[in-house]
Amino acid sequence: MSRALIIVDVQNDFCEGGALPVTGGADLAVAISEYVDAHQGQFDHVVATQDWHIDPGNHFSAAPDFKDSWPPHCVAGTRGAELHEDLDTEYIEAFFRKGQFTAAYSGFEGLLAPEDAVPTGERQPGSMPGANDSPQSAPDGDAIGLDEWLQSNDVEDVVVVGLATDYCVRATALDAVQAGYGVTVIRSLTAGIAEDLDEAVAEMELGGVEIA
């Protein structure tokens, strides 16, 4: 049995100064890095997800309702789509990009990024590969999704952290439960858009997610 940490969408556009900032996002990048450094021995695998929008249709809007539509953010290949500079990528094995041509909140909608797109150690600003990088494919030619990757690595339990508690963290955690994993969300290692996150937390708990 293997255990994996899933780091959700700790990207520049979701942190202070970005197109769609979550309060506390930059501090969260630091906190997650410190947690991984201290606890990486407890995980067999560490992966991360990224919003990676090319043309997501109505997900982008000039007059967003901040529920189903949003200002443009995390456009593939831009600085806003890059991981925050304070998120240490040393232990991250794989990245899963989601939302290229549609709205995508769950990391389980993501596809494995090319091997040369995986940053390790210290990165220079602007170093993330561009929008034209194709996802990795399985031998049959199908792109590799997060669930397939986790299964291929015998993962049974996942811990989810990142941004934002009430959107992509929630969606990723609930999809993980539906896929059959044991799921824990570390609430202190998430930050949300709404001021009151009790409803999102209650929904996750009702859906079978353990909140730590």
Side-chain angles (χ1 to χ4, degrees):
M1 180 184 74
S2 294
R3 189 170 185 243
L5 178 70
I6 302 174
I7 303 171
V8 177
D9 296 4
V10 183
Q11 297 168 260
N12 287 325
D13 269 350
F14 294 139
C15 296
E16 290 83 352
L20 196 58
V22 177
T23 301
D27 288 342
L28 185 66
V30 175
I32 291 174
S33 295
E34 292 175 347
Y35 174 83
V36 174
D37 188 54
H39 297 88
Q40 53 88 18
Q42 299 177 12
F43 298 97
D44 300 285
H45 306 283
V46 180
V47 302
T49 71
Q50 291 172 278
D51 260 13
W52 196 256
H53 297 307
I54 297 173
D55 183 10
N58 293 335
H59 186 60
F60 282 179
S61 174
D65 62 14
F66 293 92
K67 181 179 179 182
D68 298 311
S69 60
W70 307 88
H73 60 275
C74 297
V75 174
T78 68
R79 183 182 182 280
E82 290 182 11
L83 300 171
H84 191 276
E85 63 183 4
D86 289 331
L87 180 68
D88 187 351
T89 60
E90 179 180 358
Y91 298 106
I92 300 175
E93 291 179 55
F95 292 78
F96 295 85
R97 295 171 172 173
K98 56 188 174 68
Q100 284 92 333
F101 299 102
T102 186
Y105 296 98
S106 171
F108 283 82
E109 299 175 80
L111 300 175
L112 183 62
E115 289 185 7
D116 61 0
V118 180
T120 56
E122 295 184 1
R123 297 178 297 111
Q124 297 300 316
S127 65
M128 287 296 289
N132 293 325
D133 291 326
S134 299
Q136 287 190 48
S137 297
D140 60 3
D142 293 332
I144 300 171
L146 176 56
D147 185 34
E148 181 181 358
W149 191 93
L150 293 173
Q151 288 189 44
S152 70
N153 285 282
D154 299 319
V155 173
E156 294 186 9
D157 295 301
V158 299
V159 174
V160 183
V161 300
L163 299 169
T165 315
D166 39 346
Y167 284 90
C168 295
V169 168
R170 175 179 61 181
T172 300
L174 290 174
D175 275 1
V177 172
Q178 290 298 311
Y181 300 96
V183 184
T184 301
V185 167
I186 303 177
R187 186 172 181 180
S188 63
L189 292 180
T190 71
I193 293 174
E195 291 185 9
D196 185 355
L197 297 173
D198 288 348
E199 182 177 346
V201 170
E203 182 181 349
M204 286 190 282
E205 288 181 319
L206 186 63
V209 177
E210 179 180 346
I211 305 297

